[in-house]
Amino acid sequence: MKYLLGIDFGGGSSKATLLSHEGKVAATAVTEYPTLYPKTGYAEQNPGDWYDAVKVGIAKLIKESGVSPCDITAVCLDAATHTAVVTDDDFNVVMPSIYWTDTRSIKEAEYLKENYGEMINEKCLHQPSTIWTLPQLLWVKNNMPETFAKIKKIFFAKDYVRHMLCGDYATDFIEAEGSMLFDVNTLSWSEELCGILGFDVKNMPEVKAPTDIAGKITKKASEDTGLLEGTTVVTGSTDTVMEVFASGAVKEGQMTLKLATAGRICIVTDKAYPDKNLVNYSHLVKGLWYPGTATKACASSYRWYRDTFGGSYKDLDTGAKETPIGADGLMYHPYLNGELTPYNDPKLCASFTGVRASHTKGHFSRAVMEGVGFSLIDCKNAIHEIGIKMGDCATIIGGGAASPIWRQIVADMLNIKLVTTNNSDSSFGSAMTAGVATGVFPSFEEAVEKCSEKVSETLPNEENHKKYLELYKDYKKIHDALAPIYQNRG
């Protein structure tokens, strides 16, 4: 039997998925690494940690599955977008990668908006904010000039790891759309945008399609990972588009709801919808897009809560389930790293409000889940205001989707049916993409038909929905009251 290998790099771990040519998952392996927060507002990752995770993860996968490397026919990678890896001419990394949740580039984003906002919106379909590569690198230029002077090459997370595997210097056009250095109209690097950094487009990576063959596993990578030298390496793309694909959303109107590091509602459309409340990216399927909202700290809120206050996810879920709707007045706003939809405000801070002596850990657990849910109501309202038709059913994806209580809270809040599939994570989507790229699956649609199937449904409770709409009014009032305080902080 032959297999396809998909590898994802997320906010705190890498996941590898081995998928048979028949469309069945043979094995998975997860390897954790840290996101570092050296200063307030900073969020960084070390590119070397990703490659170390690949070496460990593939070794686990091969050992536990018993699959021979000779039977792995293609490898495809994905990662969170906007995460630039900057190197010198010899591809040596010159600084940690600024993760997309980092907010240090507030001043640079404002500068770009004031001086280049119209051009950027025309070329990138977005307004500058701290999540994009351009303001992040402009911060490096302004604050670390000696380091910036060393920068000769710009990778993105999955592209750097792929370079370590096959030696190429390239990215895909969907990843490039997240850099704010790329003209989506011409599908090429913009001389004007790169020029803001003083960076020559000739030094930017070659732009390919996600299904293009990037190269072959080198001898060194074979020794590092255990993969067979000469194994095909596919270009790949971003984590979200891989999740959208993995969930089965390959036709116009299909919707996904993501509970991962970020929370996103994405609807497949036949065009982009430029708006301050949406992130627009091309779909893997030619001619389609998947504009989406963004709650900046979604499952990362729950992970932060677990890591800070202790306990297992299972125990935290149990406490949340035993707590009534509204957590007896305790409310959480998930602005750990500012917020995107609908505020686009990097200065917002997370908060627990309404704390009483009677509140237990279960109350706090439920409040975190509900706070993320209220933020998703903000997202739903933004979609309606923009005029995108939103159906009454979504496939739920991301790590948070594994929690039955969280699924029910979100279904009740948004009043939509949530469908879970057998596999919907991005490493699964990358493995499927490897299959499309190498002809194992004739098309994206046929890959979905062969590999993806519905497992369960979570139906909304109308009475709970009404209760949440009343509580949502308080959620908005608290935001409105606290937001001015945060604006005056450094």
Side-chain angles (χ1 to χ4, degrees):
M1 189 176 292
K2 301 296 183 180
Y3 300 88
L4 304 158
L5 177 58
I7 308 175
D8 163 65
F9 303 91
S13 63
S14 171
K15 182 175 181 180
T17 294
L18 204 57
L19 179 70
S20 75
H21 283 201
E22 283 66 44
K24 304 299 181 184
V25 172
T28 62
V30 175
T31 307
E32 293 192 351
Y33 47 75
T35 296
L36 307 173
Y37 304 95
K39 295 182 181 179
T40 300
Y42 286 38
E44 300 177 345
Q45 292 187 356
N46 287 318
D49 290 344
W50 307 328
Y51 191 56
D52 288 342
V54 166
K55 292 186 283 188
V56 172
I58 292 175
K60 283 184 191 174
L61 207 61
I62 291 173
K63 181 179 179 181
E64 293 174 11
S65 68
V67 170
S68 169
C70 298
D71 292 325
I72 299 174
T73 60
V75 182
C76 182
L77 313 180
D78 71 83
T81 191
H82 313 165
T83 309
V85 182
V86 290
T87 76
D88 62 19
D89 261 333
D90 296 320
F91 301 112
N92 299 306
V93 176
V94 302
M95 64 175 287
S97 288
I98 298 175
Y99 201 58
W100 71 269
T101 57
D102 188 290
T103 60
R104 75 183 79 174
S105 58
I106 292 174
K107 291 181 180 178
E108 285 72 21
E110 287 301 318
Y111 167 80
L112 291 168
K113 191 180 298 183
E114 291 173 9
N115 293 277
Y116 301 98
E118 186 175 339
M119 179 183 70
I120 289 174
N121 189 64
E122 180 183 337
K123 292 181 180 295
C124 306
L125 308 182
H126 300 108
Q127 282 294 305
S129 71
T130 58
I131 69 172
W132 307 101
T133 306
L134 173 56
Q136 292 167 358
L137 292 185
L138 187 58
W139 181 93
V140 177
K141 183 177 183 179
N142 291 342
N143 294 273
M144 302 172 65
E146 292 183 2
T147 298
F148 188 83
K150 298 177 183 176
I151 299 173
K152 304 301 179 184
K153 306 289 185 185
I154 300 175
F155 286 95
F156 299 93
K158 62 100 173 47
D159 303 315
Y160 172 76
V161 180
R162 195 186 59 251
H163 166 79
M164 298 294 287
L165 294 176
C166 70
D168 69 329
Y169 179 46
T171 191
D172 70 288
F173 63 84
I174 302 175
E175 183 86 66
E177 289 170 359
S179 67
M180 205 158 272
L181 297 167
F182 186 76
D183 189 333
V184 302
N185 305 291
T186 62
L187 292 182
S188 62
W189 298 113
S190 165
E191 290 187 4
E192 294 92 340
L193 295 174
C194 291
I196 295 172
L197 295 173
F199 209 79
D200 192 331
V201 294
K202 294 177 182 177
N203 292 332
M204 297 298 289
E206 180 184 357
V207 179
K208 297 183 176 183
T211 51
D212 283 348
I213 304 304
K216 305 286 185 180
I217 293 292
T218 64
K219 181 179 180 181
K220 174 67 164 58
S222 176
E223 293 169 352
D224 287 343
T225 65
L227 293 172
L228 188 69
E229 182 180 358
T231 301
T232 297
V233 181
V234 176
T235 300
S237 194
T238 70
D239 57 351
T240 303
V241 77
M242 291 304 185
E243 288 169 327
V244 169
F245 172 39
S247 75
V250 291
K251 297 179 181 178
E252 187 178 349
Q254 291 181 313
M255 179 167 61
T256 60
L257 191 150
K258 179 178 179 179
L259 298 180
T261 298
R264 297 196 67 190
I265 299 174
C266 295
I267 302 173
V268 180
T269 62
D270 63 353
K271 64 179 181 179
Y273 284 82
D275 187 274
K276 68 181 181 66
N277 284 321
L278 289 185
V279 178
N280 285 276
Y281 283 111
S282 298
H283 198 290
L284 291 169
V285 179
K286 188 175 181 179
L288 296 182
W289 293 73
Y290 66 101
T293 60
T295 292
K296 205 169 185 183
C298 178
S300 55
S301 279
Y302 207 38
R303 178 171 179 166
W304 162 83
Y305 171 69
R306 180 203 65 173
D307 292 347
T308 303
F309 297 100
S312 67
Y313 285 131
K314 182 179 180 180
D315 290 340
L316 297 178
D317 281 12
T318 298
K321 187 176 181 180
E322 294 171 350
T323 302
I325 286 176
D328 290 324
L330 181 63
M331 193 163 281
Y332 171 73
H333 285 66
Y335 310 144
L336 290 174
N337 301 296
E339 185 57 296
L340 294 174
T341 308
Y343 308 111
N344 200 18
D345 185 352
K347 291 189 175 182
L348 286 176
C349 297
S351 64
F352 285 104
T353 54
V355 183
R356 294 284 189 180
S358 58
H359 286 142
T360 66
K361 195 169 185 178
H363 287 90
F364 281 87
S365 300
R366 187 173 188 104
V368 172
M369 291 181 169
E370 290 183 336
V372 169
F374 287 129
S375 181
L376 290 171
I377 294 179
D378 273 342
C379 292
K380 178 182 178 181
N381 291 341
I383 289 171
H384 285 310
E385 289 172 8
I386 292 163
I388 301 176
K389 185 178 179 181
M390 182 174 172
D392 58 3
C393 176
T395 300
I396 186 166
I397 61 179
S403 167
I405 179 61
W406 209 353
R407 292 200 306 267
Q408 190 63 58
I409 287 170
V410 172
D412 292 347
M413 283 193 170
L414 301 184
N415 199 30
I416 61 175
K417 178 172 70 176
L418 297 176
V419 173
T420 57
T421 58
N422 55 337
N423 291 286
S424 61
D425 70 90
S426 48
S427 64
F428 179 69
S430 281
M432 291 167 67
T433 301
V436 174
T438 55
V440 174
F441 308 127
S443 67
F444 292 109
E445 294 82 359
E446 289 174 82
V448 166
E449 186 176 335
K450 191 164 188 177
C451 303
S452 182
E453 59 185 70
K454 183 171 73 174
V455 173
S456 67
E457 295 181 347
T458 303
L459 302 176
N461 180 298
E462 184 64 31
E463 289 303 312
N464 290 349
H465 177 63
K466 292 176 181 177
K467 292 177 183 177
Y468 277 128
L469 288 183
E470 289 301 310
L471 290 167
Y472 175 68
K473 295 176 183 177
D474 291 336
Y475 177 88
K476 296 292 285 184
K477 289 177 183 177
I478 293 169
H479 162 270
D480 295 345
L482 293 181
I485 297 173
Y486 303 137
Q487 299 309 307
N488 296 325
R489 293 185 176 181

